[in-house]
Amino acid sequence: MNFSDLNLITPLLSAVEDSGYTEPTPIQVSTIPLVLSGRDVLGCAQTGTGKTAAFALPILQRLHQEPLNLQKDEKLPIRALILTPTRELALQIYESFETYGANIAITTAAVFGGVSQNPQVQKLKKGVDILVATPGRLNDLIGQGHISLKKLSIFVLDEADRMLDMGFIHDVRRVISHLPRKRQTLFFSATMPDEVEKLAMTILHEPETVKVDPPASTVESIRQLVYLVDKVNKKKLLPWVLNQPEVTSALVFTRTKHGADRVVRELSREGVKALAIHGDKSQGARQEALTRFKSGDIKVLIATDIAARGIDIAELSHVINYELPDESENYVHRIGRTGRAGLEGDAISFCCYDEFDALRAIEKLIGLDLPVVESPWPMEVFTSTKDPDAREHRADRPRSSSRGHSGRGRGSGSGDNRRRNADASAKGKNKPAKGENASAPTQKKPGSRNASSNQA
Ligand code: AMP
């Protein structure tokens, strides 16, 4: 299949060619004709598989071909709105519209918080066809009378499940209350929990559902592995992983903003330069950190989940989960920052005893048992750090005697099994659980290009 088979007009085909794309991805093949025909779409496809172009190209074409019938001196009305959860993603999607629309006279603007609204308002005053926005700033500007969405014809929710969850749903509902009832609505995400899909269906009108891959599945080009490691040893494990020659760039996720700053400090003590990106940083600092990371100026970026979704970083070699996410869906989005556009990538997760439940939930969501690999700091604390009796349960023996505990290597079983094995190991029993590979697993280097994966 070629882009020219999708009924796209020549200026868009040229822009696609200039972007270096030779053929459309599956989500583009399925979605572009539907959007061109005016249908509502619920689109699910894995991270990094070209969802942005799947909606941007047909939107640009529809707006380009739609007659405008403007009165004399009437300002260009906003005809398409794309809502996204983060400022960085808004900017990135805006840039994609600029790229794909380079050869047609369609104007795009982005509005998001954390920066002065004045330049955004100035641009809106001149009139724009397409607006990419985060919900908070958009509602502010609507409230101030700078934005009218009365003539809107296409509405897109990117990262739709995130936009419809508790954190955003009220803002999104407010935005929707300003939209014409008759419009085309498009929802996209790589993850779509059932209850969110039900909610989405109440907003969409007779949608066509496109699910290119099972929702929440991870792309095969991402090699995934887990290190079982005590919480206190994560700060030793991280620089060790980062110093492996395969790690050319790494996006490291922490659960909290404080955690992100702490990891930057800890790495600095080890001589590893890193910057952090999180919600307490100014937008200028966020943007600068991301730009320097994208350009290769810094090799390591420490992030909270604000960088988990959508952000496209060319040739990112490693995603590292210093802490597992609270919401399993975010694991899929985090690791999806690598292995994009058909490239390979590695996703390494650090899991301490307190995180076994999170690990099990992730494995259930993605339908895979993640391979566990031994590091120089194997787990020695087999009880919750929240447990006041933790010290009594501590395995008080040299590190070597804890080797072989928890089913390292390929197909090591579920988080449940690992916890059982870890407990057994703490008591000096190293027998693998039933159904588990009893042979000594080979130790893999972190980030090893041939690290085992049981995705098949
Ligand atoms: P997205 O999922 O929209 O963030 O896109 C992921 C990456 O794939 C981006 O770097 C896009 O530039 C790239 N991309 C999108 N469509 C194609 C295509 N048809 N062929 C090759 N790369 C693409």
Side-chain angles (χ1 to χ4, degrees):
M1 172 78 77
N2 291 316
F3 276 102
S4 52
D5 300 321
L6 294 173
N7 284 329
L8 290 171
I9 53 176
T10 311
L12 294 178
L13 291 175
S14 308
V16 160
E17 200 181 325
D18 291 345
S19 298
Y21 308 164
T22 48
E23 55 180 46
T25 64
I27 185 77
Q28 291 163 359
V29 170
S30 313
T31 307
I32 289 173
L34 287 171
V35 180
L36 285 177
S37 74
R39 290 289 303 266
D40 279 13
V41 174
L42 177 68
C44 259
Q46 290 172 329
T47 52
T49 55
K51 284 191 286 293
T52 314
F55 62 77
L57 289 168
I59 288 176
L60 285 163
Q61 177 151 330
R62 291 206 67 200
L63 298 188
H64 178 70
Q65 292 177 334
E66 195 176 68
L68 260 173
N69 302 328
L70 288 183
Q71 306 294 317
K72 193 167 173 290
D73 294 333
E74 190 185 338
K75 197 175 83 175
L76 201 59
I78 295 167
R79 291 183 289 154
L81 170 69
I82 294 89
L83 274 191
T84 80
T86 65
R87 301 160 186 177
E88 287 75 14
L89 194 48
L91 201 52
Q92 184 179 296
I93 293 174
Y94 160 76
E95 285 164 0
S96 294
F97 271 98
E98 292 279 275
T99 303
Y100 302 138
N103 306 322
I104 55 176
I106 293 286
T107 51
T108 307
V111 301
F112 48 81
V115 291
S116 162
Q117 70 170 42
N118 294 340
Q120 297 173 356
V121 170
Q122 290 313 314
K123 186 154 186 190
L124 290 167
K125 275 192 177 144
K126 291 182 194 149
V128 297
D129 297 286
I130 299 170
L131 185 62
V132 188
T134 52
R137 175 58 61 93
L138 177 64
N139 279 321
D140 265 4
L141 294 179
I142 292 173
Q144 294 171 42
H146 293 301
I147 289 177
S148 165
L149 299 171
K150 287 198 181 100
K151 300 234 168 125
L152 190 109
S153 53
I154 307 173
F155 172 51
V156 182
L157 268 193
D158 193 33
E159 307 295 344
D161 58 330
R162 178 80 184 98
M163 302 305 289
L164 296 175
D165 79 13
M166 292 302 284
F168 279 107
I169 185 69
H170 299 298
D171 275 346
V172 170
R173 283 202 193 284
R174 262 179 77 191
V175 172
I176 290 176
S177 73
H178 294 286
L179 306 182
R181 288 175 74 84
K182 190 171 172 314
R183 59 168 193 263
Q184 181 179 24
T185 306
L186 313 170
F187 288 1
F188 288 91
S189 188
T191 50
M192 191 58 70
D194 288 345
E195 67 277 18
V196 179
E197 185 168 340
K198 276 190 205 132
L199 175 60
M201 287 302 182
T202 65
I203 301 170
L204 294 157
H205 176 68
E206 295 179 3
E208 188 77 40
T209 302
V210 178
K211 288 187 178 164
V212 171
D213 312 283
S217 61
T218 49
V219 295
E220 286 195 10
S221 56
I222 306 174
R223 288 165 294 260
Q224 302 173 56
L225 64 85
V226 178
Y227 287 121
L228 300 185
V229 55
D230 295 325
K231 206 170 189 169
V232 289
N233 284 332
K234 287 187 177 185
K235 61 173 175 286
K236 296 179 191 158
L237 182 56
L238 183 61
W240 181 77
V241 169
L242 293 173
N243 282 325
Q244 301 299 317
E246 305 88 353
V247 183
T248 53
S249 55
L251 180 58
V252 180
F253 284 100
T254 59
R255 267 187 337 104
T256 64
K257 303 170 213 173
H258 286 310
D261 287 334
R262 198 185 54 242
V263 170
V264 171
R265 286 195 301 274
E266 285 166 359
L267 283 178
S268 162
R269 269 180 230 127
E270 299 293 325
V272 180
K273 193 166 182 256
L275 288 176
I277 178 170
H278 58 65
D280 278 353
K281 297 266 180 192
S282 71
Q283 189 53 29
R286 277 164 66 163
Q287 211 54 52
E288 190 197 331
L290 191 58
T291 306
R292 287 183 61 189
F293 185 58
K294 281 185 172 186
S295 71
D297 183 32
I298 49 161
K299 182 179 138 178
V300 184
L301 185 67
I302 318 294
T304 57
D305 279 325
I306 60 165
R309 287 179 179 251
I311 303 297
D312 195 44
I313 302 154
E315 298 181 23
L316 173 65
S317 82
H318 285 69
V319 168
I320 298 171
N321 290 309
Y322 189 82
E323 288 150 337
L324 292 177
D326 289 332
E327 290 172 27
S328 317
E329 278 79 11
N330 277 350
Y331 174 84
V332 176
H333 292 281
R334 283 179 177 189
I335 72 163
R337 296 318 95 219
T338 184
R340 298 173 74 73
L343 293 178
E344 297 195 327
D346 287 275
I348 297 176
S349 297
F350 295 0
C351 176
C352 69
Y353 191 91
D354 288 341
E355 295 173 301
F356 275 127
D357 286 343
L359 179 60
R360 186 179 46 191
I362 289 163
E363 290 180 325
K364 187 165 174 238
L365 178 73
I366 64 176
L368 290 174
D369 282 352
L370 295 175
V372 175
V373 173
E374 185 167 314
S375 78
W377 294 276
M379 188 178 276
E380 293 186 348
V381 179
F382 303 109
T383 189
S384 170
T385 50
K386 292 165 199 149
D387 178 352
D389 298 328
R391 296 185 61 142
E392 284 175 31
H393 297 284
R394 216 177 167 108
D396 54 348
R397 55 198 150 61
R399 199 170 66 215
S400 57
S401 67
S402 73
R403 283 178 188 254
H405 65 69
S406 64
R408 294 153 288 142
R410 190 186 168 91
S412 57
S414 68
D416 262 351
N417 277 348
R418 285 189 201 127
R419 193 200 292 268
R420 259 203 314 275
N421 297 332
D423 287 340
S425 178
K427 292 170 196 146
K429 297 173 199 158
N430 284 335
K431 273 192 197 150
K434 195 176 166 205
E436 197 175 351
N437 187 357
S439 62
T442 36
Q443 185 169 341
K444 300 285 191 310
K445 275 203 299 178
S448 157
R449 289 277 156 190
N450 52 17
S452 65
S453 159
N454 52 2
Q455 280 189 342

